[in-house]
Amino acid sequence: MRVTLESYGGLAAAANFRRRPDVLDTDDLPESDAAELARLVAAAEAMPAEEQDGRGRDAMSYVITVEAGGRSTVLTQSDTAKSPAFAALLAWLRAHFAQQR
């Protein structure tokens, strides 16, 4: 499974404009981490985003693309309207990428 994380918008939009997306391949992870990531992805795919109410136009938006088994799934949510499952996946990915830097 390959997972890509892209971030857009927010108060630092100009700084993030040309930033390359973070990419993770589960083949490069320990088995337990790969299993945890698969669980988080499945939960985020199953839970829809919360409705946006128009607030937070400068909020960060996130695009998580999951490629597995010849299929690609794109999950897009923002700071003002994200499901708990998406938030958990995003937190896990951020922690992983922070360790890699």
Side-chain angles (χ1 to χ4, degrees):
M1 177 170 54
R2 183 175 175 192
V3 180
T4 303
L5 171 62
E6 299 174 87
S7 302
Y8 300 100
L11 296 175
N16 290 328
F17 183 66
R18 295 204 174 168
R19 186 169 175 241
R20 298 180 73 175
D22 290 312
V23 180
L24 170 68
D25 192 321
T26 56
D27 290 344
D28 299 332
L29 294 175
E31 189 175 319
S32 61
D33 288 349
E36 176 67 5
L37 179 56
R39 184 191 69 73
L40 290 166
V41 164
E45 288 176 337
M47 186 176 283
E50 296 179 7
E51 287 189 39
Q52 293 201 328
D53 59 9
R55 293 181 298 147
R57 294 178 198 265
D58 62 348
M60 289 293 293
S61 294
Y62 308 96
V63 178
I64 299 173
T65 304
V66 181
E67 299 171 64
R71 182 183 90 148
S72 181
T73 302
V74 178
L75 305 169
T76 304
Q77 297 188 22
S78 72
D79 278 341
T80 59
K82 62 185 168 192
S83 70
F86 186 93
L89 173 59
L90 179 61
W92 191 97
L93 289 170
R94 283 178 161 171
H96 174 79
F97 291 127
Q99 290 175 353
Q100 302 304 309
R101 291 191 175 112

